[in-house]
Amino acid sequence: MYNSKNSLSQVVFPQNLIGNTGLIMALMMAVLLLHFIVSFSSKTTDISTDRSTLLALKAHVVSDPRNFLTTNWSVDISICNWVGVTCESRNQRVIALNLFNMSLSGTIPPDMGNLSFLTWLNIGYNNFHDLLPVQLTNLYRLKFISMSDNNFHGEISSWVGYFPELQYLSLSNNSFTGPIPSDMCDRLPTLKELNLSDNKLSGKIPIGLFKCKGLQNISLDFNSLEGILPEEIGNLTMLRTLDLRGNQIQGRIPVTLGNLRDLELLDLSNNDLSGTLSSSERSFLSSLANCSRLTALAFGSNPLISGYLPPSIANLSVSLQYFDASSCSISGSIPGEIGNWNVATYLDFSGNHFSGAISDRVCNRNNDLRYLAVNDNQLEGKLPLYLTNCSELVFLNVADNNLSDTFPHWLGTLPQLRVLILRSNRFYEGEIPDVFGNLNKLTTLDFPGCNFSGQLAPSMFSLTQLTDLALASNRLEGPLPTHVTGFQNLKVFDLSHNLLTGEVPSWLFTLPSLEYLYLSNNSLTGPISQIQKPNSIQVDDLADNDIHGEIPSSFFGLSKLTYLDLSSNNLSGIIRSDMLSKLQSLETRDLSTNNFSGVINLDVPSKLKNLTEVNLSNNKLRQFPSFLRSAKSLRSLDLSNNKIQGSIFKWESEGWEQLIDLNLCNNSLTSLEQFSGKNILFLDLRSILYSKVLFYLRHLHCKNS
């Protein structure tokens, strides 16, 4: 083929033709014509090949909801003007294909291997699936490949060929299986970034991977890799990011990590790695003092990492912002030297065996700290007042320790605070001060089991961003307010196991976001008020109070309820099947130990299909609740200690194939026909007056009274 790079000045004519001007001109015109024909023919073929390849890809796309390809990839438009397509300006060959985040679904055709000038391929964040074609190995000019966040599967080695210029490879968030190819660096000698996270890869990290001397970022997180982390990792001296979290890598963490002087992020969390931290011997932690650019270090959730954090931890990079040592087996005290990390924003020491007091130097020099978790240790003493220096603190979790203090009133001076968790400590009995007025960003208040007493702080009920309020198992008293100005985003309201009195306020059932309500084991009284605008609550537990009266009809407008427990109160009246059937999402219903006196059995076909557990024991019912025959998923039914009389007929229990637990003891039944359920494992018929019982059971079990 004629080389288009040659110019006419390079064409050599025979010496005997130089004097013949006419002939020379004719030859020159012939050469020009030949150049035009060959060049045009070549370019037409190339454009045609690329066009047919892209049209083949379009044909393999089965869903294009945003019409990117449907309306734009048309034969009437030059492919160089198609969305996502970039052509080389001189020869009009396709050099880049960027279909990132176009919501496309389909497969990759073998024709893709014909885009021989392609250097950039990005089809990430779509829904492409199936195997990748081996013909992709023909694209030897590729420098960038991103196929992340799709549904590809198969082994990587089946299609990764020799890409001598490839620098970036991302296959994250797919379903690739098998090992990482041991010869990957022989195939990809110029690779700088490798992202294989969130797949199903297995096997060991191949030593051959460390031949890619130019690697700067490695992400292998959330796979099923095993074996050790080879010491050869220290050979990748240009490495900036190493993310291996969420695998099953074992063995000691190599000290050769200290050779990676450009390292910025190291995440080894959620593995089975081991190591002993101390000041007397060199560990991976002490070796990382060489990594002066380190900004993020995480080795949490490796239970075999033990020892203690030495004061020399202060030698870690002054640029350190993120430190996670959670859920290991580290003991001793949390060294105050962490206060030297004056730009740290995230510190997690939770789930270890730390003891002693929280150092008052934590916020000595650090005013940027936003996240501090020291929960699930054996820490003692008081919360240090110096935490007020951390004015940007957003998250504070000190739960499950042995802290002893009154409620730290100074917490009200942290205006950025959103999550405050104090649960299960040994706080002195005393009131929760009314300090929440300035904490208008709070989303979580979690104080169960803290010995707090007295009445609830009024400013709590003005918090508009709060999603979780958990104050269970304290000694809080007094009534709940009759109205609130906040709680627009509240999802969880848990004040169970306290000493609250007064009525259950109706506003609880009208909060627009409430999903879980727990007020059991208090001393609440009065009837349940009518509900003006029922909300989407899913769990309602008012058990073990002194609530009386009838259940108001508006209560059954809580159509999203899945769990209802009103047991151990003084509720009375009639249980109406037509009312209960409105709670079509209900799975568990406990109305036991009340004063309900009867049942109105109206037919409610197919409206109780989700109901699995019903407890109506210890009431004054006289009729069998035959409307429950529409509860085809029922597994447990307790009607014990009532006054049910007469017979229970077969038709009244039709469809109870799932029933495994039936308690009818202490009633006045005289006849019990065969039940349709064949899986009953637990049956209690004690103290009933029956003359005829026909059951086909695998096992008979009488419960103790």
Side-chain angles (χ1 to χ4, degrees):
M1 183 179 293
Y2 180 78
N3 188 350
S4 62
K5 293 183 179 180
N6 293 333
S7 66
L8 288 177
S9 62
Q10 296 173 303
V11 179
V12 179
F13 295 100
Q15 188 68 28
N16 62 344
L17 295 180
I18 293 177
N20 193 333
T21 305
L23 183 58
I24 290 175
M25 290 300 296
L27 287 172
M28 289 179 66
M29 292 301 295
V31 169
L32 279 171
L33 181 61
L34 178 63
H35 177 197
F36 176 80
I37 293 172
V38 172
S39 177
F40 180 82
S41 174
S42 173
K43 186 173 293 187
T44 302
T45 304
D46 292 341
I47 292 175
S48 176
T49 301
D50 289 354
R51 179 187 292 109
S52 62
T53 297
L54 294 178
L55 289 175
L57 174 60
K58 178 181 178 181
H60 280 72
V61 171
V62 296
S63 177
D64 180 12
R66 296 155 72 183
N67 293 317
F68 282 118
L69 308 189
T70 304
T71 60
N72 187 269
W73 282 24
S74 168
V75 293
D76 298 326
I77 304 173
S78 169
I79 62 171
C80 297
N81 293 324
W82 288 4
V83 63
V85 177
T86 302
C87 294
E88 205 276 332
S89 59
R90 182 174 55 83
N91 60 20
Q92 298 295 290
R93 295 301 305 270
V94 174
I95 58 173
L97 181 61
N98 187 358
L99 304 181
F100 178 80
N101 196 23
M102 289 189 177
S103 305
L104 304 174
S105 297
T107 58
I108 304 300
D111 309 61
M112 282 290 287
N114 295 330
L115 296 175
S116 55
F117 276 72
L118 200 65
T119 62
W120 183 287
L121 176 61
N122 189 348
I123 57 174
Y125 281 86
N126 285 289
N127 193 28
F128 288 109
H129 55 275
D130 215 337
L131 299 170
L132 287 169
V134 68
Q135 287 81 359
L136 291 177
T137 58
N138 297 336
L139 307 179
Y140 63 92
R141 287 187 170 93
L142 277 171
K143 297 180 179 180
F144 181 101
I145 299 176
S146 177
M147 300 182 179
S148 60
D149 294 273
N150 283 284
N151 288 304
F152 295 119
H153 62 88
E155 295 197 1
I156 295 173
S157 59
S158 65
W159 66 271
V160 172
Y162 181 64
F163 297 118
E165 300 181 36
L166 192 67
Q167 299 179 18
Y168 181 99
L169 175 61
S170 178
L171 306 176
S172 62
N173 283 291
N174 282 283
S175 297
F176 289 110
T177 55
I180 299 172
S182 58
D183 61 347
M184 177 170 280
C185 285
D186 295 328
R187 305 184 190 190
L188 314 174
T190 61
L191 196 63
K192 292 183 178 180
E193 180 154 346
L194 176 63
N195 188 348
L196 304 179
S197 63
D198 288 282
N199 280 284
K200 300 175 182 178
L201 301 176
S202 56
K204 299 179 179 180
I205 300 175
I207 294 180
L209 184 61
F210 308 122
K211 294 180 181 179
C212 292
K213 302 294 186 180
L215 268 173
Q216 298 177 6
N217 300 294
I218 299 178
S219 297
L220 305 178
D221 46 299
F222 297 111
N223 282 285
S224 298
L225 300 174
E226 55 189 15
I228 64 169
L229 176 58
E231 292 186 355
E232 287 79 1
I233 187 68
N235 296 338
L236 301 180
T237 54
M238 299 183 69
L239 204 62
R240 295 178 182 176
T241 298
L242 178 60
D243 192 347
L244 302 177
R245 62 193 152 135
N247 285 284
Q248 291 105 48
I249 303 172
Q250 303 172 338
R252 297 182 69 85
I253 301 174
V255 296
T256 53
L257 288 170
N259 297 342
L260 311 179
R261 296 179 181 272
D262 291 331
L263 196 64
E264 297 173 4
L265 182 148
L266 175 61
D267 196 337
L268 305 174
S269 55
N270 293 89
N271 279 285
D272 296 313
L273 294 163
S274 60
T276 302
L277 308 179
S278 72
S279 57
S280 59
E281 61 178 277
R282 191 169 185 240
S283 67
F284 80 93
L285 192 58
S286 60
S287 71
L288 292 175
N290 297 329
C291 305
S292 59
R293 297 183 180 180
L294 195 64
T295 61
L297 172 59
F299 54 89
S301 298
N302 283 286
L304 298 180
I305 295 178
S306 59
Y308 63 91
L309 296 179
S312 59
I313 195 172
N315 296 331
L316 289 176
S317 169
V318 294
S319 302
L320 196 67
Q321 298 177 23
Y322 184 104
F323 183 83
D324 179 8
S326 63
S327 301
C328 293
S329 299
I330 307 171
S331 54
S333 61
I334 298 175
E337 284 76 9
I338 63 174
N340 292 342
W341 301 336
N342 55 9
V343 295
T345 60
Y346 184 105
L347 300 177
D348 193 347
F349 300 95
S350 63
N352 281 283
H353 307 299
F354 289 114
S355 57
I358 301 173
S359 173
D360 57 9
R361 291 187 286 166
V362 170
C363 293
N364 191 26
R365 297 170 54 188
N366 185 352
N367 296 321
D368 294 324
L369 190 63
R370 288 170 172 79
Y371 184 106
L372 177 61
V374 295
N375 52 291
D376 295 279
N377 283 288
Q378 290 111 45
L379 298 172
E380 301 172 340
K382 299 181 177 182
L383 276 177
L385 179 61
Y386 280 94
L387 285 177
T388 55
N389 292 341
C390 294
S391 58
E392 299 298 316
L393 199 62
V394 171
F395 182 102
L396 177 62
N397 188 350
V398 299
D400 295 284
N401 280 288
N402 297 315
L403 299 176
S404 55
D405 196 356
T406 56
F407 186 94
H409 62 88
W410 47 262
L411 288 169
T413 65
L414 299 173
Q416 304 302 321
L417 200 60
R418 296 185 182 181
V419 176
L420 178 59
I421 305 176
L422 306 178
R423 70 162 59 218
S424 301
N425 276 284
R426 298 179 179 179
F427 288 100
Y428 305 137
E429 185 174 338
E431 291 190 357
I432 300 174
D434 196 13
V435 295
F436 304 98
N438 294 326
L439 304 181
N440 53 20
K441 295 183 180 180
L442 273 172
T443 62
T444 300
L445 286 177
D446 190 317
F447 308 156
C450 288
N451 298 321
F452 295 135
S453 59
Q455 299 203 4
L456 294 164
S459 59
M460 280 186 185
F461 298 92
S462 300
L463 297 171
T464 58
Q465 301 301 314
L466 201 66
T467 60
D468 295 80
L469 178 62
L471 305 176
S473 301
N474 284 287
R475 299 181 61 79
L476 301 171
E477 57 189 38
L480 293 170
T482 56
H483 69 280
V484 295
T485 58
F487 288 2
Q488 289 88 342
N489 294 289
L490 194 68
K491 293 183 178 180
V492 178
F493 187 87
D494 186 358
L495 275 83
S496 59
H497 295 272
N498 278 288
L499 304 173
L500 300 177
T501 56
E503 295 186 4
V504 179
S506 60
W507 55 259
L508 281 168
F509 302 102
T510 61
L511 294 176
S513 302
L514 192 67
E515 297 177 0
Y516 303 94
L517 173 62
Y518 303 99
L519 284 172
S520 63
N521 294 90
N522 279 284
S523 298
L524 297 170
T525 59
I528 300 174
S529 302
Q530 288 285 352
I531 303 169
Q532 299 301 319
K533 188 178 180 182
N535 59 11
S536 299
I537 190 171
Q538 298 176 26
V539 174
D540 182 7
D541 187 353
L542 302 177
D544 290 282
N545 282 285
D546 195 23
I547 303 169
H548 60 264
E550 297 186 4
I551 302 175
S553 58
S554 58
F555 189 88
F556 300 101
L558 301 171
S559 58
K560 301 296 184 181
L561 266 180
T562 60
Y563 180 97
L564 174 63
D565 190 348
L566 300 176
S567 63
S568 300
N569 281 285
N570 284 310
L571 295 167
S572 57
I574 304 295
I575 297 175
R576 293 178 56 94
S577 61
D578 56 337
M579 290 289 102
L580 285 173
S581 65
K582 293 182 179 181
L583 305 177
Q584 295 190 33
S585 299
L586 200 62
E587 298 174 7
T588 299
R589 182 182 71 194
D590 191 344
L591 303 180
S592 64
T593 316
N594 280 286
N595 293 307
F596 293 110
S597 57
V599 175
I600 296 181
N601 283 310
L602 299 176
D603 208 15
V604 286
S606 304
K607 291 188 176 182
L608 301 174
K609 59 184 179 181
N610 295 308
L611 199 60
T612 60
E613 183 176 349
V614 174
N615 191 343
L616 298 175
S617 65
N618 294 291
N619 279 285
K620 299 175 182 178
L621 303 180
R622 294 182 178 275
Q623 302 95 354
F624 181 79
S626 58
F627 69 89
L628 288 175
R629 68 179 180 274
S630 66
K632 305 299 184 183
S633 301
L634 195 65
R635 296 174 62 83
S636 176
L637 176 60
D638 190 345
L639 298 173
S640 63
N641 297 297
N642 278 285
K643 298 179 180 181
I644 300 174
Q645 300 175 348
S647 300
I648 299 178
F649 299 102
K650 178 180 178 181
W651 66 268
E652 294 183 287
S653 63
E654 286 179 345
W656 284 357
E657 282 80 5
Q658 306 298 320
L659 194 67
I660 60 174
D661 188 348
L662 177 62
N663 191 343
L664 298 173
C665 77
N666 295 322
N667 280 285
S668 300
L669 296 172
T670 58
S671 179
L672 194 62
E673 290 189 4
Q674 176 184 348
F675 272 57
S676 58
K678 300 178 181 180
N679 299 309
I680 295 179
L681 300 177
F682 305 99
L683 173 68
D684 194 336
L685 300 174
R686 290 173 301 163
S687 303
I688 65 173
L689 303 173
Y690 58 89
S691 60
K692 184 178 181 182
V693 180
L694 293 174
F695 271 101
Y696 297 93
L697 303 170
R698 296 185 198 169
H699 179 63
L700 181 64
H701 173 75
C702 290
K703 299 178 180 179
N704 294 325
S705 300

